[in-house]
Amino acid sequence: MRQILYISSKTPGQDISVGNILIQSRRNNDAVGVTGLLYTDGTRFLQVLEGEGAAVTATFERIRADPRHHAVVVLSDKAVAERSFGRWAMAHRLPTDPADEFDARVTRMLADASDSVRGTFLGLIAVRR
Ligand SMILES: Cc1cc2nc3c(=O)[nH]c(=O)nc-3n(C[C@H](O)[C@H](O)[C@H](O)COP(=O)(O)O)c2cc1C
């Protein structure tokens, strides 16, 4: 099983529909057994992807080439014995979301993640509050 964690930023001038990314991702990821979590506030993206090696590679190559975001930096890419996420999910922070409730929701979504994955998500969310 392969697990990739990356961070990226919205391409300046791109009008991104987070809803479209959600629909595309859910359909594709469910079909190939890719699970994980995508955090976004509409400007930054932080995503962990996990699953069979070939499926994760193909998914990530598609994502990396997507012009809607840029400055894709891989923070971690490793073999894992088992999944940390039961499905693929998105945590979309809206400016109107109370920060504490959002933190609590993402913390629940990260319940089975490794300390390093959890720390990376909660660290980014803390600086984006
Ligand atoms: C930040 C970001 C995250 C994405 N995450 C996924 C993903 O997890 N799975 C996926 O299939 N596509 C994801 N996409 C979309 C892909 O880049 C690509 O547009 C899509 O997979 C094309 O699928 P389609 O040909 O079925 O429409 C993401 C795009 C962006 C900008």
Side-chain angles (χ1 to χ4, degrees), residues 6 8 16 20-21 24-29 34 38 45-47 49 59 62-69 88:
Y6 77 87
S8 66
I16 287 202
N20 284 346
I21 294 176
Q24 283 181 315
S25 302
R26 171 134 306 136
R27 184 190 57 223
N28 293 337
N29 296 355
V34 166
L38 173 63
F45 300 100
L46 179 66
Q47 178 158 225
L49 294 167
T59 302
R62 231 172 33 242
I63 296 170
R64 200 209 292 264
D66 192 319
R68 289 176 287 186
H69 65 164
W88 182 84

